[in-house]
Amino acid sequence: MKIKLSILLVSIFVSYTSATKAADKGIVHNVDSPHVEFRSINIGDAKWTNGFWADKFKLVESAMVPYMGELLKGDIGHGYNNFKIAAGLKEGKAKGFQFHDGDFYKWMESTAYLYAINKDKALLKQLDEIIAVIGKAQRPDGYLQTHSIIKGIPPYENRKAHEMYNSGHLINAAIIHHRVTGKTNFLDIAIKNANLIYDKFHTRPKKLRRFGFNQTQIVGLVELYRETKDKRYLKLAEQFINARGGNTKHDESVRLNMTGDMTQERTPFRKEGEAVGHAVLAMYFYAGAADVYAETGEKALLDALNRVWSNATEKKMYLTGAVGQAHHGVSSNKDMVHEAFLGEYDMPNSTAYNETCANITNAMFNWRMLSLTGEAKHADVIETVVYNSALSGISADGKAYFYTNPLRRSHRIHTDRFGQKDVTATIDREAYLNCFCCPPNLVRTLAKLSGWAYNLTDNGLAVNLYGGNTLDTTLLDGSNLKLTQTTNYPWDGSIKIEIDQVRKSNVEFQLRIPGWAKDAVVKVNDKALSSPIRSGQYTKINRVWKRGDQITVEMPMPVDFIEGNPLIEQIRNQVAVRRGPIVYLAESPDLPKSTDILDVYLSSNTQFTPKKVDNFSGNNDQVVTLEGELLIRTNSPENKMYDKITKPDFKAVKAQLVPYYAWSNRGQAEMSVFFPIVWGDL
């Protein structure tokens, strides 16, 4: 017994020592991973200073995180109350969904990212008080699931209790807290919980072989391995990846739509070639597999990741970067699926589900693929998501949310908006969603987004996302690099990067040229590069730099009409409008009163003019709208299933298109991204 106890104490000491060293180094994510091309900068190395993302981060600081905290710590969200009740500090019943613990952890992670930037000690004090309560709620063996503890439900009896989902977000939040504070109080709780998961699952007992619904624990376990260097966590994460496809029979104890493709179980991952099932579950799983590959380098994993990426992105992703076409449907293997991928090129507009969480996890997955491959196409997806289908999930004041993000809203078409308290409610964002997984997921993404702007490379730096910021980081050789980026992107395609400090030997800068950007020009100290600049790739500049050197990028931003693949039946003979990374739409506040959004057409001859609007929705939100003419059909067919065709009559009206993410901030509205197009002169 004494020998076992000694071994345990040594193991704990090694874990804590490794974790403390990690905090001292300030490392984040994959800096020590052997099988990556791009590595993470430290948390807080990049800070937004002005422009689009600086404004959004100020909103994170002033509204998003504080307001969400009020919800989750009060009686509306009840998340903190659940921990207090489980800890014996409060009387009451568990409320909310069983995965609500995970949503609370995501808010805590958001707060930790915020602290990493602004160093507000009040945030740290608040977190420490919460962590103390969570520690009291945790069982002695490490189990931590408030609903089960309060209700006396045995651990790991039912996968719908979402213990793995909660554990994954617990581990990630605790690691970020440790990295930005150096404290181990939250990390202690996470390690204790992870050790319990290892003890329960590493022997693969038959009862638990197919356990886990939304398996965020895979990402969490890999990250905990990176933090502590305890190989058990990586081994267990890989075991969960390997379990996919090991049991394809339906379990009668679980509803049919919780098995097979729905929960990433039908096909062994290394044999998978299609993005299937619940889109959030899929993307979290793929992100976990990418993290495992970063540590093991197993080629079969990377091959599978590339296949599912190609299928999801090239055949099932919306123009806005959104994924998960349907609330309910059937997979190609005829499994019932929910909040899920449909078949290839099946892209409804009005009934599109596109859960905010799915869009965000799409960006999370692509961030990992960018790290593995160094290919700009993954950063292109990240950019598309964050400017469009992620940001649309929150209002301009940072206090109301969308769960779903379709490409058309019409009062004539019923849409199933899961997560809302009242499914008959008007088409507006809501101040609280009873299914609260998406809001904190979005806020933590916005809070940490500056960390995605740059990556470290073997001999320098990759610039992934553009925005006004400063960077003060350490390159992989230990030398310091400081720079200042100035731009009004995404409204303007001019970017200036000035070197403030750099080593005396060669440094290679890799500048992403987005896939939409044609005829971009890159200059160093006003001299254009002689090498070709290719859209959808990184432009590399390797030279000896000095303080004051400048890199400029000029990307023309014409207004483009975008059509879909002809196999997408829902948008045949329709077009969308995009300028730079921003997708635009027509919204009813900008149309003649009582205009039906289904009567709005677009002429191929229309010329749109960008216009800066400083206070678009009354929330000091600066946007660039597109002014031009739209066509309103005045003799729409009667409301019949089918009718004899008549020549359409149109009325041209002056109108503006607005960014997709900014809709539903000026009252109840209809909108559409795609328009039937009228070719040539009327």
Side-chain angles (χ1 to χ4, degrees):
M1 181 68 182
K2 289 182 179 179
I3 294 175
K4 289 183 178 179
L5 180 59
S6 298
I7 293 172
L8 176 61
L9 290 173
V10 169
S11 174
I12 292 173
F13 176 76
V14 170
S15 294
Y16 286 177
T17 302
S18 299
T20 302
K21 287 181 178 179
D24 289 342
K25 290 168 64 180
I27 64 171
V28 297
H29 196 59
N30 61 7
V31 73
D32 291 329
S33 302
H35 302 285
V36 296
E37 295 293 327
F38 285 3
R39 301 175 192 277
S40 303
I41 61 172
N42 296 340
I43 301 171
D45 280 3
K47 296 180 174 67
W48 304 119
T49 54
N50 57 76
F52 189 91
W53 289 120
D55 291 343
K56 297 303 177 187
F57 186 82
K58 289 176 184 176
L59 197 61
V60 169
E61 186 176 32
S62 64
M64 293 183 189
V65 168
Y67 175 75
M68 190 172 293
E70 291 175 7
L71 291 177
L72 291 174
K73 290 189 296 178
D75 293 333
I76 296 176
H78 203 74
Y80 193 28
N81 285 343
N82 285 341
F83 284 104
K84 289 180 177 178
I85 296 167
L89 302 174
K90 183 181 178 70
E91 295 291 329
K93 297 180 179 180
K95 294 182 181 180
F97 286 98
Q98 289 175 302
F99 48 79
H100 207 37
D101 291 3
D103 302 334
F104 191 77
Y105 296 138
K106 282 183 281 186
W107 171 78
M108 293 180 69
E109 185 179 342
S110 305
T111 305
Y113 281 121
L114 186 56
Y115 172 77
I117 301 295
N118 67 15
K119 301 300 182 183
D120 182 351
K121 292 183 179 180
L123 295 175
L124 193 57
K125 180 181 178 182
Q126 178 183 204
L127 287 176
D128 282 344
E129 291 173 354
I130 293 169
I131 291 166
V133 172
I134 293 173
K136 291 179 181 178
Q138 187 174 35
R139 288 180 176 176
D141 65 354
Y143 185 74
L144 185 55
Q145 166 82 337
T146 60
H147 273 254
S148 297
I149 292 172
I150 294 168
K151 297 173 184 176
I153 300 172
Y156 307 115
E157 287 284 316
N158 188 329
R159 67 196 315 196
K160 290 188 290 181
H162 292 276
E163 287 131 319
M164 292 304 201
Y165 172 87
N166 290 338
S167 290
H169 290 305
L170 163 65
I171 294 168
N172 277 301
I175 290 171
I176 298 303
H177 176 265
H178 173 248
R179 286 175 178 166
V180 302
T181 68
K183 296 188 174 187
T184 61
N185 52 341
F186 203 9
L187 188 63
D188 293 344
I189 295 170
I191 289 175
K192 193 174 179 181
N193 183 249
N195 289 343
L196 174 66
I197 295 173
Y198 180 83
D199 291 341
K200 290 287 185 182
F201 287 88
H202 83 279
T203 58
R204 299 192 72 238
K206 183 177 180 180
K207 173 179 185 179
L208 299 178
R209 283 184 189 175
R210 62 183 303 281
F211 193 90
F213 178 72
N214 194 337
Q215 299 193 37
T216 65
Q217 87 278 4
I218 301 172
V219 168
L221 287 167
V222 177
E223 204 68 12
L224 191 57
Y225 159 72
R226 290 167 173 161
E227 193 75 358
T228 66
K229 305 306 178 186
D230 188 331
K231 292 183 179 180
R232 293 179 304 159
Y233 305 135
L234 176 60
K235 180 180 178 181
L236 186 59
E238 188 173 17
Q239 180 178 307
F240 283 123
I241 296 295
N242 297 343
R244 189 182 193 266
N247 186 345
T248 59
K249 295 181 180 179
H250 288 306
D251 184 343
E252 292 181 359
S253 67
V254 184
R255 287 183 358 214
L256 290 181
N257 69 334
M258 298 299 170
T259 59
D261 280 336
M262 166 64 186
T263 47
Q264 303 300 304
E265 292 180 297
R266 177 171 291 281
T267 305
F269 183 63
R270 292 164 181 82
K271 296 181 180 180
E272 185 62 271
E274 182 183 5
V276 296
H278 191 292
V280 179
L281 275 61
M283 289 299 178
Y284 272 133
F285 187 94
Y286 303 157
D291 280 345
V292 170
Y293 170 81
E295 306 306 323
T296 67
E298 183 192 346
K299 185 177 182 298
L301 274 182
L302 183 60
D303 289 344
L305 287 164
N306 282 323
R307 288 195 301 271
V308 296
W309 181 89
S310 294
N311 184 260
T313 304
E314 297 167 357
K315 297 180 179 180
K316 297 183 179 182
M317 188 177 80
Y318 285 88
L319 183 65
T320 59
V323 293
Q325 302 107 299
H327 192 180
H328 301 294
V330 177
S331 74
S332 58
N333 289 310
K334 298 181 174 60
D335 288 335
M336 183 177 175
V337 292
H338 168 70
E339 298 181 318
F341 289 104
L342 293 176
E344 297 174 357
Y345 303 111
D346 188 359
M347 311 293 288
N349 289 310
S350 295
T351 60
Y353 202 67
N354 296 343
E355 181 186 342
T356 300
C357 268
N359 310 334
I360 292 166
T361 52
N362 187 22
M364 290 172 57
F365 172 45
N366 273 276
W367 185 56
R368 286 162 170 80
M369 292 301 290
L370 175 66
S371 298
L372 301 186
T373 68
E375 295 182 19
K377 63 184 181 181
H378 300 298
D380 280 358
V381 174
I382 295 170
E383 178 178 76
T384 299
V385 170
V386 296
Y387 279 117
N388 297 289
S389 58
L391 204 53
S392 61
I394 197 164
S395 60
D397 65 0
K399 297 181 179 180
Y401 316 102
F402 272 148
Y403 191 93
T404 62
N405 299 273
L407 275 71
R408 181 174 293 136
R409 285 291 203 205
S410 168
H411 296 306
R412 292 167 55 184
I413 301 173
H414 171 73
T415 54
D416 193 352
R417 291 164 281 137
F418 179 71
Q420 288 184 288
K421 291 176 287 186
D422 180 6
V423 296
T424 65
T426 57
I427 303 173
D428 284 317
R429 293 180 183 84
E430 292 204 11
Y432 182 74
L433 304 173
N434 60 346
C435 179
F436 204 67
C437 56
C438 296
N441 213 1
L442 174 55
V443 171
R444 72 168 176 164
T445 301
L446 297 178
K448 68 181 177 182
L449 190 62
S450 62
W452 288 5
Y454 301 96
N455 275 121
L456 304 177
T457 63
D458 286 344
N459 193 38
L461 187 78
V463 184
N464 306 321
L465 301 176
Y466 296 109
N469 67 73
T470 58
L471 176 69
D472 182 352
T473 195
T474 303
L475 298 180
L476 294 180
D477 71 340
S479 65
N480 194 236
L481 175 67
K482 296 181 182 180
L483 56 81
T484 301
Q485 184 179 153
T486 306
T487 181
N488 197 30
Y489 194 88
W491 311 126
D492 186 283
S494 298
I495 296 115
K496 182 178 75 173
I497 298 173
E498 182 165 346
I499 312 300
D500 300 316
Q501 182 178 333
V502 66
R503 71 188 185 207
K504 294 181 180 179
S505 56
N506 282 45
V507 173
E508 181 180 73
F509 283 95
Q510 298 189 36
L511 309 169
R512 182 180 64 92
I513 308 301
W516 56 261
K518 310 301 180 185
D519 303 318
V521 176
V522 179
K523 296 180 180 180
V524 175
N525 298 331
D526 291 328
K527 183 178 180 180
L529 298 187
S530 58
S531 56
I533 309 300
R534 295 185 174 91
S535 60
Q537 295 186 23
Y538 281 91
T539 291
K540 299 179 180 180
I541 313 172
N542 193 335
R543 54 170 279 169
V544 175
W545 304 86
K546 65 180 184 302
R547 182 177 180 180
D549 282 346
Q550 292 185 354
I551 303 171
T552 57
V553 183
E554 293 289 342
M555 294 182 285
M557 281 191 172
V559 178
D560 294 322
F561 288 4
I562 307 296
E563 65 176 340
N565 188 299
L567 293 176
I568 308 175
E569 293 187 24
Q570 293 93 333
I571 55 171
R572 286 289 300 273
N573 300 319
Q574 297 179 53
V575 299
V577 178
R578 184 179 66 194
R579 180 176 181 266
I582 304 293
V583 175
Y584 282 80
L585 54 73
E587 188 180 12
S588 50
D590 301 310
L591 301 172
K593 189 175 181 179
S594 301
T595 298
D596 191 321
I597 197 67
L598 301 181
D599 286 333
V600 179
Y601 289 65
L602 185 62
S603 169
S604 63
N605 291 333
T606 298
Q607 299 291 319
F608 286 105
T609 302
K611 180 184 177 182
K612 177 183 173 184
V613 180
D614 287 325
N615 192 21
F616 175 71
S617 66
N619 291 284
N620 295 317
D621 46 336
Q622 181 194 100
V623 305
V624 170
T625 63
L626 301 179
E627 293 190 331
E629 282 192 344
L630 295 174
L631 302 177
I632 309 298
R633 185 171 179 179
T634 58
N635 63 336
S636 294
E638 295 183 21
N639 193 21
K640 298 179 181 179
M641 188 73 172
Y642 304 101
D643 203 357
K644 181 179 178 180
I645 190 171
T646 59
K647 182 180 179 180
D649 293 329
F650 293 104
K651 176 177 67 174
V653 299
K654 290 185 177 181
Q656 66 176 358
L657 302 185
V658 304
Y660 173 80
Y661 77 81
W663 90 278
S664 190
N665 279 292
R666 298 174 293 165
Q668 187 179 146
E670 295 184 317
M671 66 82 174
S672 185
V673 171
F674 279 93
F675 312 94
I677 189 164
V678 177
W679 292 96
D681 297 325
L682 294 178

